[in-house]
Amino acid sequence: MNRRTLLYTAIATPVVLALGVKTAAMARHGPLSELLAQLQGLPADTLRSTGRWNVSEIFQHCTQSIRFSRVGYPLARSALFQNTAGAAALNVFSAAGEMHHPLDEAIPGAPALVSGLPNEAALAELTSELKQFMDWQGELAPHFAYGELSKSQYDTAHYLHLRNHLREVQPS
Protein backbone atom coordinates (compact mmCIF):
# COMPACT_ATOMS: atom_id res chain seq x y z
CA MET A 1 0.00 0.00 0.00
CA ASN A 2 1.44 3.36 -0.89
CA ARG A 3 1.64 6.32 1.47
CA ARG A 4 -1.23 8.23 -0.16
CA THR A 5 -3.64 5.29 0.11
CA LEU A 6 -2.67 4.75 3.74
CA LEU A 7 -3.24 8.42 4.52
CA TYR A 8 -6.66 8.46 2.82
CA THR A 9 -7.67 5.29 4.64
CA ALA A 10 -6.52 6.70 7.98
CA ILE A 11 -8.59 9.84 7.46
CA ALA A 12 -11.65 8.23 5.87
CA THR A 13 -12.16 5.35 8.33
CA PRO A 14 -13.13 7.43 11.39
CA VAL A 15 -15.34 9.66 9.26
CA VAL A 16 -17.19 6.68 7.78
CA LEU A 17 -17.59 5.12 11.24
CA ALA A 18 -18.93 8.36 12.70
CA LEU A 19 -21.40 8.75 9.85
CA GLY A 20 -22.53 5.16 10.33
CA VAL A 21 -23.22 5.74 14.04
CA LYS A 22 -25.04 9.00 13.22
CA THR A 23 -27.17 7.26 10.57
CA ALA A 24 -28.07 4.41 12.93
CA ALA A 25 -28.85 6.88 15.71
CA MET A 26 -31.20 8.91 13.53
CA ALA A 27 -33.03 5.78 12.36
CA ARG A 28 -33.83 4.69 15.93
CA HIS A 29 -36.92 6.18 17.57
CA GLY A 30 -38.18 5.37 21.04
CA PRO A 31 -41.87 4.54 21.39
CA LEU A 32 -42.81 7.02 24.13
CA SER A 33 -46.48 6.05 23.92
CA GLU A 34 -45.61 2.46 24.87
CA LEU A 35 -43.46 3.70 27.73
CA LEU A 36 -46.30 5.95 28.91
CA ALA A 37 -48.68 2.96 28.95
CA GLN A 38 -46.11 0.96 30.92
CA LEU A 39 -45.75 3.79 33.45
CA GLN A 40 -49.52 4.15 33.80
CA GLY A 41 -49.75 0.44 34.61
CA LEU A 42 -47.18 0.50 37.40
CA PRO A 43 -48.43 -0.18 40.94
CA ALA A 44 -46.63 2.87 42.37
CA ASP A 45 -47.33 2.04 46.02
CA THR A 46 -45.60 -1.36 45.79
CA LEU A 47 -42.44 -0.37 43.95
CA ARG A 48 -38.92 -0.33 45.36
CA SER A 49 -35.62 0.96 44.09
CA THR A 50 -32.43 -1.05 43.69
CA GLY A 51 -30.33 2.12 43.48
CA ARG A 52 -29.34 5.04 45.66
CA TRP A 53 -32.45 7.12 44.88
CA ASN A 54 -35.85 5.92 46.04
CA VAL A 55 -38.60 5.31 43.46
CA SER A 56 -40.16 8.74 43.96
CA GLU A 57 -36.79 10.46 43.42
CA ILE A 58 -36.25 8.47 40.22
CA PHE A 59 -39.67 9.56 38.92
CA GLN A 60 -39.03 13.19 39.96
CA HIS A 61 -35.64 13.22 38.19
CA CYS A 62 -37.17 11.85 34.98
CA THR A 63 -39.98 14.42 35.24
CA GLN A 64 -37.43 17.23 35.57
CA SER A 65 -35.55 16.03 32.49
CA ILE A 66 -38.69 15.97 30.36
CA ARG A 67 -39.98 19.31 31.67
CA PHE A 68 -36.65 21.05 31.10
CA SER A 69 -36.70 19.99 27.45
CA ARG A 70 -39.74 22.26 27.08
CA VAL A 71 -38.97 25.10 29.50
CA GLY A 72 -35.17 25.14 29.54
CA TYR A 73 -32.47 23.52 31.65
CA PRO A 74 -31.18 25.54 34.63
CA LEU A 75 -27.50 25.11 33.66
CA ALA A 76 -25.81 23.98 30.46
CA ARG A 77 -22.46 22.55 29.52
CA SER A 78 -20.34 24.59 27.14
CA ALA A 79 -21.25 24.75 23.46
CA LEU A 80 -17.96 22.98 22.75
CA PHE A 81 -18.95 20.07 25.00
CA GLN A 82 -22.49 19.92 23.57
CA ASN A 83 -21.24 19.85 19.98
CA THR A 84 -18.52 17.27 20.59
CA ALA A 85 -18.72 14.85 23.52
CA GLY A 86 -22.40 15.48 24.22
CA ALA A 87 -23.55 15.00 20.63
CA ALA A 88 -21.31 11.94 20.24
CA ALA A 89 -22.67 10.37 23.43
CA LEU A 90 -26.29 10.81 22.32
CA ASN A 91 -25.50 9.34 18.91
CA VAL A 92 -23.83 6.30 20.49
CA PHE A 93 -26.73 5.82 22.96
CA SER A 94 -29.28 6.15 20.16
CA ALA A 95 -27.45 3.77 17.84
CA ALA A 96 -27.07 1.21 20.65
CA GLY A 97 -30.70 1.57 21.69
CA GLU A 98 -29.77 2.11 25.33
CA MET A 99 -28.32 4.74 27.58
CA HIS A 100 -25.83 4.25 30.38
CA HIS A 101 -25.14 7.08 32.79
CA PRO A 102 -24.80 7.51 36.57
CA LEU A 103 -28.32 6.88 37.83
CA ASP A 104 -27.95 9.06 40.91
CA GLU A 105 -26.57 12.13 39.14
CA ALA A 106 -28.84 15.15 39.37
CA ILE A 107 -29.42 17.48 36.45
CA PRO A 108 -27.10 20.46 36.94
CA GLY A 109 -28.93 23.29 38.68
CA ALA A 110 -32.17 21.31 39.07
CA PRO A 111 -34.21 21.71 42.26
CA ALA A 112 -33.48 19.12 44.92
CA LEU A 113 -35.51 15.92 44.76
CA VAL A 114 -38.02 15.42 47.59
CA SER A 115 -37.30 12.08 49.25
CA GLY A 116 -40.63 11.99 51.12
CA LEU A 117 -42.89 12.60 48.12
CA PRO A 118 -45.18 9.55 47.71
CA ASN A 119 -44.48 7.33 44.70
CA GLU A 120 -48.04 7.82 43.46
CA ALA A 121 -47.66 11.61 43.33
CA ALA A 122 -44.26 11.42 41.62
CA LEU A 123 -45.54 8.91 39.06
CA ALA A 124 -48.63 11.02 38.34
CA GLU A 125 -46.40 14.05 37.74
CA LEU A 126 -44.12 12.00 35.46
CA THR A 127 -46.96 10.66 33.31
CA SER A 128 -48.52 14.13 33.08
CA GLU A 129 -45.21 15.67 32.00
CA LEU A 130 -44.62 12.89 29.48
CA LYS A 131 -48.07 13.47 27.94
CA GLN A 132 -47.39 17.22 27.75
CA PHE A 133 -44.09 16.58 26.00
CA MET A 134 -45.66 14.15 23.53
CA ASP A 135 -48.32 16.75 22.64
CA TRP A 136 -45.86 19.66 22.58
CA GLN A 137 -45.74 21.60 19.30
CA GLY A 138 -43.63 24.55 20.45
CA GLU A 139 -39.91 25.21 20.48
CA LEU A 140 -37.75 22.86 22.50
CA ALA A 141 -34.94 24.05 24.74
CA PRO A 142 -31.38 22.90 24.11
CA HIS A 143 -30.41 19.90 26.21
CA PHE A 144 -27.85 20.75 28.88
CA ALA A 145 -25.37 18.16 27.56
CA TYR A 146 -26.53 17.31 24.03
CA GLY A 147 -27.36 20.82 22.78
CA GLU A 148 -30.02 21.55 20.16
CA LEU A 149 -32.25 18.52 19.53
CA SER A 150 -35.18 17.93 17.21
CA LYS A 151 -38.44 16.58 18.64
CA SER A 152 -37.53 13.13 17.30
CA GLN A 153 -34.10 13.27 18.94
CA TYR A 154 -35.68 14.34 22.23
CA ASP A 155 -38.22 11.49 21.91
CA THR A 156 -35.33 9.06 21.67
CA ALA A 157 -33.30 10.72 24.42
CA HIS A 158 -36.27 10.71 26.83
CA TYR A 159 -37.16 7.13 25.95
CA LEU A 160 -33.61 5.89 26.55
CA HIS A 161 -33.25 7.98 29.71
CA LEU A 162 -36.49 6.69 31.21
CA ARG A 163 -35.66 3.08 30.33
CA ASN A 164 -32.22 3.45 31.89
CA HIS A 165 -33.73 4.71 35.18
CA LEU A 166 -36.60 2.22 35.20
CA ARG A 167 -34.04 -0.61 35.44
CA GLU A 168 -33.73 0.37 39.11
CA VAL A 169 -37.49 0.24 39.74
CA GLN A 170 -38.75 -3.18 40.83
CA PRO A 171 -41.96 -4.58 42.34
CA SER A 172 -41.74 -5.19 46.10
Side-chain angles (χ1 to χ4, degrees):
M1 183 181 305
N2 68 34
R3 184 180 278 162
R4 178 176 280 166
T5 303
L6 179 63
L7 182 60
Y8 287 146
T9 302
I11 292 171
T13 300
V15 171
V16 169
L17 288 173
L19 289 174
V21 169
K22 180 73 172 177
T23 301
M26 294 184 76
R28 192 175 296 276
H29 182 27
L32 284 178
S33 59
E34 290 176 20
L35 197 51
L36 176 61
Q38 177 187 350
L39 288 168
Q40 290 171 324
L42 288 176
D45 58 334
T46 64
L47 298 173
R48 66 177 179 80
S49 170
T50 61
R52 200 184 106 197
W53 283 344
N54 67 38
V55 171
S56 175
E57 291 168 321
I58 292 169
F59 291 158
Q60 291 172 62
H61 168 77
C62 292
T63 299
Q64 287 177 339
S65 179
I66 296 167
R67 180 176 298 126
F68 292 153
S69 68
R70 290 185 307 104
V71 301
Y73 287 82
L75 296 174
R77 302 257 185 159
S78 71
L80 178 64
F81 180 90
Q82 291 175 358
N83 291 306
T84 56
L90 182 59
N91 286 332
V92 169
F93 295 151
S94 298
E98 60 185 352
M99 180 180 287
H100 296 285
H101 74 294
L103 296 178
D104 60 355
E105 186 173 77
I107 297 167
L113 305 174
V114 181
S115 62
L117 184 69
N119 290 354
E120 296 86 357
L123 180 58
E125 188 177 6
L126 174 57
T127 57
S128 173
E129 192 62 48
L130 188 55
K131 287 178 198 174
Q132 286 180 60
F133 173 80
M134 290 168 59
D135 293 339
W136 187 255
Q137 299 299 316
E139 291 287 318
L140 293 167
H143 188 274
F144 78 94
Y146 307 141
E148 296 286 338
L149 299 180
S150 68
K151 178 77 183 269
S152 178
Q153 288 171 312
Y154 256 126
D155 284 354
T156 299
H158 288 323
Y159 176 80
L160 296 175
H161 185 239
L162 280 164
R163 279 196 36 222
N164 190 206
H165 279 284
L166 289 176
R167 289 186 184 119
E168 289 192 336
V169 176
Q170 307 290 322
S172 294

